[in-house]
Amino acid sequence: MAEKERWGSRIGLVLAAAGNAVGIGNLLRFPSQAANNGGGAFMIPYLVCLLVFGLPMMWIAWSVGRYGGKHGHSTLPGMFDKMWKNPASKYLGVLGLALPLLFCLYYTYIEAWCLSYAWFSLTGQIVDKPGYTVDLAVFYNEYLGNATSHSYFPNLGTALTFLLITITLNIWVLGRGIAKGIELLAKIAMPALLLFCLLLSIRVLTLGKLEGTALDGLNFLYTPDFTRLKDPNTWMAAAGQIFFTLSIGFGAMECYASYVRSKEDIALAGTTTAATNEFVEVIFGSMIAIPAAAIFFGPAMITTIASTGSFSIGMISMPEILRHFPLLKFFGTIWFLLLFFAAFTSSVAVCQPIIAFLQDEVKLSRKAASAIVGMIWFLGTIPIMFFYKYGVFDEFDYWAGTIGLVIVAIVEVIIFAYIFGVDRGWKELHEGAFIKIPKIFKFIIKYVTPVALIGVFIGWASNPSVPADKALLWNVADRSSYPGKFSSTPTDETTQIQSRVYDALGKVKRDLTGWAEVELSADGAIRVIDFTADSSLRAVMDDQVFQQWLASQNFRYEVNRQTAAASITIGVEALYRTPYIWLARMIMIFFFVLFLFLIGTVWRQRHHPAA
Ligand code: ALA
C-alpha cells in the first residue's frame, strides 16, 4: 500500500486549514448577512450557532478525519464505514463526495470573477476614460450574461477564459499533492490575504468623511436591532453563515485532518482553525465593505446596498467606491486578489475529497485523479456559467451550499455521538492533545448539537428560499454611450406588476422578450413612446403598464448623482427558468448516482476481489 500523504509542517497544516475555512464567506457573505439581519443583533444568533454546532462540528470533523486517516481513508465513505459497521454507512458517505464537487462547480465561478476583476482593475478596464464610461452594475451583468446589451462584453468569452484559468490553477495545485501543492499555496496565500486585509482596512478607515464616515459603517453593523431576534429568518441566516464560513458539512475539513500524524493535537488544530476564521470574518469582514459603503454612499444607503446581496457589494459597490479614491488600480487589484486568494484556498480544500477518493479508494494515481476531476470540473461548470441568468447557479448554491451542509452535519454528529459513541469520540479528539476542550462540550455534542441541527433543517425545509423559477430583466441598449448611470429600486408595486408577467410565462412556458423607446426627463418623469413585445407579453404589459412598471421602481438616469434626461431603448427579457432548474437538478442527481455506483463497486471489489 502506498505511503499516506502527510502535511509537511504544523504551520503548513494550520495555514491550510485556515485557508479551507476563510473564503468569500468571510469577506462578502458575512457583512451582507449581518447588515441584512439586524446588524449587532445578528451577532447573538451567530455566536449561539458557533457554540452549539460550529465549534462542536469543527472538532468532530477533525476527529472523524484523523480517525479515518489512520485507517487509510481520507473521505467520508471510508470514514463512516470504519466508524459504523453497517453496509449502509459507506453509502451515506456519498454526501461527502457529491456535495463538495457540486459546491466546487459554482464556487470556482465566483473565484473566477474575482480573478478577472483583479485583472480589470489592474488594466484599468473598470475606470472611466474619455468616451468610455463604466456602469459597474451593467458591466457585471454583461460579464455574467444577465444583460444582453453587449456594451462591455460581446459574449461570455471573457468569463469562460477566466474560468478555465481558475480551474487550471486549482487542478495544478491539487495535482502537486498535499505538502507540495495545497500546503505551499496556503503558505503563500494566507499571509498575503492577511496583508491585503490589513492594507484595505487601513485604506478604508483613513478615507475620512464623504457622505459618511467609516465609524457610521461600523455603527450600522454593530448597533443591535433586537426586534430581529424574534425573526426565525435571522436565526436561519446565522446558522447558514456558520456552516458556510467554517466549511462544515463539506467533508473537506475531515479530508485535511486525515493527513495529520496520529499524535497531532487536533483539539488545538480545530480550535485554531475556527479562531482564525472568526478573526478574519468578524474583524476584517466588518472593516472593509460596509464602512467603505458608509463613507461613499452615506449611512442611509447601507441597507439598500446590503440588500442587493454579497456579490453586488463585492463586484459593484466596492470597485465603485475604490475608483473614486487615489490608487484605484492598486487598491482595486488588492481587493479582488484578496477575494481570489480567499476563494482559492477554499476551493482546493473542498475539491480535495474527490481527488482523495479517486486515489485512496479507486486507486488512481494523483495525476490521473486530478486530470479526471479537472475535466469534470470544467464540464460541470459550463451550464452554471452559460445558464447563470436562468438560475442554475442559485440552484446549486441552494442545494450544495445550504441544505446539503446541514444534512451532512446531522448524519455525521449522529454517527459520531451515538454510533461510534461520544466517549470514544471524545477520547479520539484528545489523543495527543495538550489542550483540553471544556467537558460541557461533550454534553453539547451529544444532546444539543443534533437537536440544533435538526431544528435548522426543519427551519429551512419549512420555509424554503428556493431560487425563483421566473425572472424579468431589463437592459439599456448601447449602454456605454451614456456617461451617467441608470438605476432602479424595485418596490412592492414592481413585484405585483411582474407577477402578471410571471403568470403569462407560466402559461406559454418559454421566454418572452420586448423592447421600448423611452423618454426620461430631468424631473424624473418617464414616458414610454412605444413598447413592442411578444404578443403574450403585450397581453399583460402594454405601453401604459410598462411605464407603470418603470415608474414603480423609480427608474432614472443620473449624471453626477443628479437626475438627468435621456432618450433610450430598453430591452426586456421575461425568463422561464423551470427547464434549466431541472437541468441543474439532473446534474446534481447524476453525480450522486455516479458516486453511489463508484462506492458500491469499490467496496464489492474489495470484499470479492476476484469478482
Ligand atoms: N468556508 C468557505 C468560505 O467561507 C467556503 O467561503
Side-chain angles (χ1 to χ4, degrees), residues 309-523:
S310 14
F311 298 143
S312 171
I313 294 184
M315 319 307 280
I316 303 173
S317 308
M318 273 301 281
E320 177 77 49
I321 294 161
L322 292 170
R323 73 177 174 168
H324 286 87
F325 294 100
L327 300 177
L328 157 79
K329 282 191 184 169
F330 178 70
F331 283 107
T333 311
I334 294 268
W335 167 245
F336 288 113
L337 276 184
L338 163 64
L339 296 181
F340 173 70
F341 279 167
F344 194 6
T345 51
S346 297
S347 60
V348 290
V350 180
C351 188
Q352 175 60 22
I354 331 295
I355 307 264
F357 178 79
L358 294 180
Q359 275 184 266
D360 296 350
E361 317 291 4
V362 185
K363 306 292 176 210
L364 294 184
S365 70
R366 190 169 62 219
K367 298 277 173 232
S370 312
I372 291 173
V373 171
M375 228 131 60
I376 295 176
W377 201 337
F378 187 62
L379 291 177
T381 314
I382 296 274
I384 296 177
M385 194 194 84
F386 277 102
F387 304 130
Y388 183 88
K389 69 176 174 185
Y390 287 102
V392 173
F393 177 100
D394 295 342
E395 194 66 17
F396 271 74
D397 182 35
Y398 179 68
W399 291 106
T402 313
I403 298 287
L405 308 184
V406 65
I407 297 177
V408 179
I410 291 173
V411 170
E412 193 170 1
V413 72
I414 291 175
I415 292 181
F416 182 84
Y418 290 91
I419 297 170
F420 188 68
V422 76
D423 291 328
R424 261 175 95 192
W426 194 253
K427 207 161 146 251
E428 178 63 38
L429 172 62
H430 285 93
E431 202 176 309
F434 288 110
I435 69 161
K436 201 148 177 41
I437 310 289
K439 217 40 189 282
I440 177 87
F441 278 103
K442 191 172 165 188
F443 173 86
I444 292 180
I445 286 174
K446 182 151 189 195
Y447 299 107
V448 186
T449 307
V451 174
L453 292 175
I454 291 169
V456 171
F457 180 73
I458 293 173
W460 279 345
S462 56
N463 187 13
S465 53
V466 275
D469 60 354
K470 299 181 186 81
L472 185 60
L473 309 179
W474 59 264
N475 60 77
V476 176
D478 202 13
R479 172 65 195 87
S480 56
S481 56
Y482 296 92
K485 200 170 153 16
F486 294 93
S487 67
S488 85
T489 319
T491 58
D492 287 347
E493 194 189 344
T494 321
T495 317
Q496 278 164 21
I497 299 172
Q498 285 179 186
S499 68
R500 285 185 239 161
V501 175
Y502 294 169
D503 288 345
L505 278 178
K507 285 193 193 109
V508 295
K509 299 197 183 330
R510 64 178 170 84
D511 294 353
L512 296 170
T513 53
W515 57 96
E517 301 301 329
V518 179
E519 292 279 343
L520 302 172
S521 312
D523 62 2

Side-chain angles (χ1 to χ4, degrees), residues 2 42 48 55 63 86 235 285 291 298 320 421-422 465 491 493 582 604:
F42 178 78
V48 171
L55 276 168
S63 312
N86 183 303
W235 287 84
E320 177 77 49
V422 76
S465 53
T491 58
E493 194 189 344
W582 276 103
R604 247 193 327 276

Side-chain angles (χ1 to χ4, degrees), residues 20-26 103 107 244-247 250 277 346 350:
N20 183 340
V22 173
I24 307 267
N26 301 56
F103 179 83
Y107 193 77
F244 197 97
T245 189
L246 289 175
S247 293
F250 293 110
N277 183 71
S346 297
V350 180

Side-chain angles (χ1 to χ4, degrees), residues 30-46 217-226 228-229 234 290:
F30 171 76
S32 107
Q33 291 286 331
N36 277 324
N37 288 287
F42 178 78
M43 295 314 289
I44 295 171
Y46 180 86
L218 290 172
N219 269 340
F220 176 87
L221 210 51
Y222 285 111
T223 303
D225 170 5
F226 288 117
R228 297 299 290 272
L229 284 182
T234 304
I290 299 290

